[in-house]
Amino acid sequence: MRQNVCILGATGSIGDSTLKVLAQHAEHYAVFAVTGYHRIDKLIEICIEHRPKVVVVPQNKQQETWQKLQQHGLSNIEILTDEQGLVHVSSHADVDVVMAAIVGAAGLLPTLAAVRAGKRVLLANKEALVMSGDIMMQEAQKNNALLLPVDSEHNAIFQCLPHDYNISKNSTPLKQGISQVLLTASGGPFLHTPADELIKVTPAQACKHPNWSMGRKISVDSATLMNKGLELIEACHLFNICESYVTVVVHPQSIIHSMVQYIDGSTLAQMGNPDMCTPIAHALAWPQRIHTPVPALDLFVNHQLDFQPPDTQRFPALQLAREAIKEGGVMPTILNAANEIAVDAFLNEKIKFTDISKVIDYVLNATSNVAANDLEVILSHDILARRTANTYIQRKGQ
Ligand code: NAD
Ligand code: MG
């Protein structure tokens, strides 16, 4: 029996890698549903190759999608729209595996729906977990969902934990002799850029990551180190540990994807060429292993491994994230929403690169914290933070 896979965000970078892995294992996996937001032509190409049963697009792209599917003789594919459609496919009774690869807060409700429906959920959409951490983890436990990390660092940490460690049971690995988690960061494209030059960097430069090919939002997050900040929060929730157990280590080669230290002095690392097909295949098949197109690491070529602490003066976003998870409540939601608005403004050349962390800092300071144990509270604070960030950016631009 083939497993049915739903890919939320199929037209993106993670969607691409997921489809590549699935194509190699078509005897075990069928693509049941794919979703896309902007690039309908790309979605149609995916439909031609993978023949899903359902596609989900925004309402304003429904007509275009329908016409193009007709043109290619694919009128049997059902078209659903908007958030309702996303939630429908991610919790569909016929779906076994959900790849959560929508970027940003837009992925929260469909990812949560998959968790509530008890699916195997391959989590790339870190923003969803950052926003709803406690709720997402509790729902996974309650509904027997199998939450597996696709983010390469968290996938690496998971691989370095004792193999009976179960994320969805929300147990703490600290009871199993773990002393520290070392979260590696490439340092991004501006690792060596002097502080006074950061104000001038362009969106194109920020999106040119030295080791990974990714969507534009996460590329900018990698450049500001907010990606590592979001990942710090992600690690706290996934592995039920407090932020003081997570040390960020800059490792420019991106060969070690993260490490776990044990109380006996052991440090376990997961290594590999930087290609998302590896963590995707790991999460897809776990606890089995399956082939990917990724070549094995050649240590005679990639023989140099460097490490250094992050520079939080030049890249304040990491510290803002650490403060947000320390404070808890809705602060990580506020941080994430303000970051999404600021990154979008930077990509549209409305603010400078160095303004991104200023916007986030402002919005965090302008918000009173409350507990985040209710989805409505989380969603209303997400909206509030976006509004505050936009107002601040407009005022700054005048
Ligand atoms: P991307 O921009 O390439 O793709 C994003 C996908 O989300 C696209 O399919 C797009 O159509 C869809 N989307 C965008 N806005 C949407 C909306 N409002 N509603 C519904 N769908 C929407 O991004 P990506 O690089 O593939 O990243 C996806 C997620 O995976 C992000 O959360 C990112 O942080 C995480 N991630 C990515 C990588 C990577 O290497 N690319 C690595 C680790 C984690
Ligand atoms: Mg990562």
Side-chain angles (χ1 to χ4, degrees):
M1 270 287 276
R2 295 202 299 171
Q3 293 198 48
N4 276 330
V5 184
C6 161
I7 308 173
L8 303 171
T11 54
S13 160
I14 292 287
D16 243 4
S17 301
T18 306
L19 288 162
K20 214 191 281 177
V21 175
L22 293 175
Q24 210 180 339
H25 300 280
E27 72 284 16
H28 297 302
Y29 301 99
V31 178
F32 179 86
V34 290
T35 86
Y37 195 69
H38 304 288
R39 301 155 67 195
I40 298 306
D41 283 337
K42 175 90 192 272
L43 196 67
I44 302 298
E45 280 171 29
I46 294 171
C47 290
I48 294 169
E49 191 181 340
H50 295 273
R51 308 281 160 152
K53 296 223 175 337
V54 192
V55 298
V56 185
V57 293
Q59 177 96 58
N60 62 5
K61 305 270 193 216
Q62 188 178 19
Q63 182 69 12
E64 179 189 347
T65 308
W66 183 81
Q67 280 170 350
K68 291 184 171 163
L69 285 177
Q70 292 277 327
Q71 279 166 16
H72 289 93
L74 296 171
S75 50
N76 55 337
I77 298 180
E78 187 182 359
I79 307 171
L80 300 177
T81 59
D82 294 344
E83 194 160 78
Q84 225 183 339
L86 295 172
V87 166
H88 181 82
V89 288
S90 71
S91 56
H92 196 287
D94 292 346
V95 165
D96 305 292
V97 181
V98 175
M99 163 53 82
I102 288 175
V103 60
L108 173 59
L109 293 184
T111 304
L112 199 54
V115 166
R116 285 183 169 146
K119 306 294 184 196
R120 175 186 282 247
V121 181
L122 318 187
L123 186 74
N125 179 205
K126 64 193 87 182
E127 297 91 346
L129 188 64
V130 166
M131 292 175 74
S132 72
D134 291 343
I135 296 179
M136 183 88 75
M137 297 312 293
Q138 283 158 14
E139 291 291 331
Q141 195 173 2
K142 207 164 79 189
N143 298 292
N144 262 324
L146 184 55
L147 199 55
L148 292 160
V150 165
D151 213 347
S152 58
E153 296 77 1
H154 306 76
N155 184 270
I157 294 164
F158 182 52
Q159 294 198 44
C160 295
L161 286 174
H163 67 246
D164 60 347
Y165 180 73
N166 185 334
I167 290 181
S168 306
K169 291 273 175 289
N170 220 9
S171 57
T172 173
L174 298 176
K175 293 199 181 122
Q176 291 171 277
I178 277 97
S179 56
Q180 193 73 208
V181 164
L182 304 181
L183 189 67
T184 56
S186 68
F190 306 133
L191 178 60
H192 304 295
T193 308
D196 58 351
E197 283 178 27
L198 285 176
I199 194 166
K200 294 182 288 200
V201 303
T202 64
Q205 289 170 314
C207 289
K208 206 163 178 293
H209 196 277
N211 306 335
W212 300 93
S213 148
M214 309 182 287
R216 280 162 71 76
K217 191 262 179 182
I218 184 178
S219 296
V220 176
D221 285 348
S222 299
T224 58
L225 286 202
M226 180 51 92
N227 184 47
K228 219 40 61 180
L230 298 174
E231 290 184 357
L232 165 71
I233 300 173
E234 186 185 7
C236 293
H237 289 302
L238 280 175
F239 307 115
N240 197 14
I241 48 177
C242 128
E243 55 75 35
S244 60
Y245 288 95
V246 185
T247 303
V248 174
V249 179
V250 173
H251 163 47
Q253 292 87 0
S254 299
I255 293 296
I256 293 183
H257 300 303
S258 277
M259 295 169 261
V260 174
Q261 293 188 318
Y262 287 79
I263 51 177
D264 60 3
S266 301
T267 300
L268 301 195
Q270 187 264 351
M271 300 164 75
N273 284 310
D275 188 319
M276 291 307 292
C277 287
T278 298
I280 290 168
H282 177 265
L284 193 63
W286 183 85
Q288 313 291 323
R289 296 271 178 176
I290 55 174
H291 286 283
T292 70
V294 185
L297 193 60
D298 182 348
L299 282 172
F300 296 116
V301 176
N302 310 95
H303 57 281
Q304 188 162 341
L305 304 177
D306 297 312
F307 306 97
Q308 65 191 71
D311 181 347
T312 48
Q313 296 289 323
R314 274 186 309 143
F315 302 106
L318 178 57
Q319 199 51 32
L320 292 175
R322 203 177 268 284
E323 294 302 325
I325 185 69
K326 259 199 231 174
E327 280 192 47
V330 291
M331 284 302 155
T333 301
I334 302 291
L335 173 99
N336 177 66
N339 181 54
E340 285 191 31
I341 295 296
V343 169
D344 192 58
F346 168 67
L347 285 171
N348 289 301
E349 300 186 38
K350 289 189 193 138
I351 61 171
K352 306 265 182 246
F353 180 77
T354 42
D355 290 332
I356 296 175
S357 57
K358 289 182 193 154
V359 173
I360 302 164
D361 194 21
Y362 174 83
V363 180
L364 284 169
N365 281 312
T367 316
S368 327
N369 199 7
V370 294
N373 44 18
D374 180 322
L375 197 57
E376 289 307 313
V377 172
I378 291 171
L379 294 175
S380 65
H381 279 78
D382 174 73
I383 294 171
L384 175 71
R386 284 166 198 271
R387 207 179 297 141
T388 312
N390 274 320
T391 310
Y392 176 76
I393 290 168
Q394 270 160 20
R395 240 189 284 136
K396 232 175 154 317
Q398 277 162 11

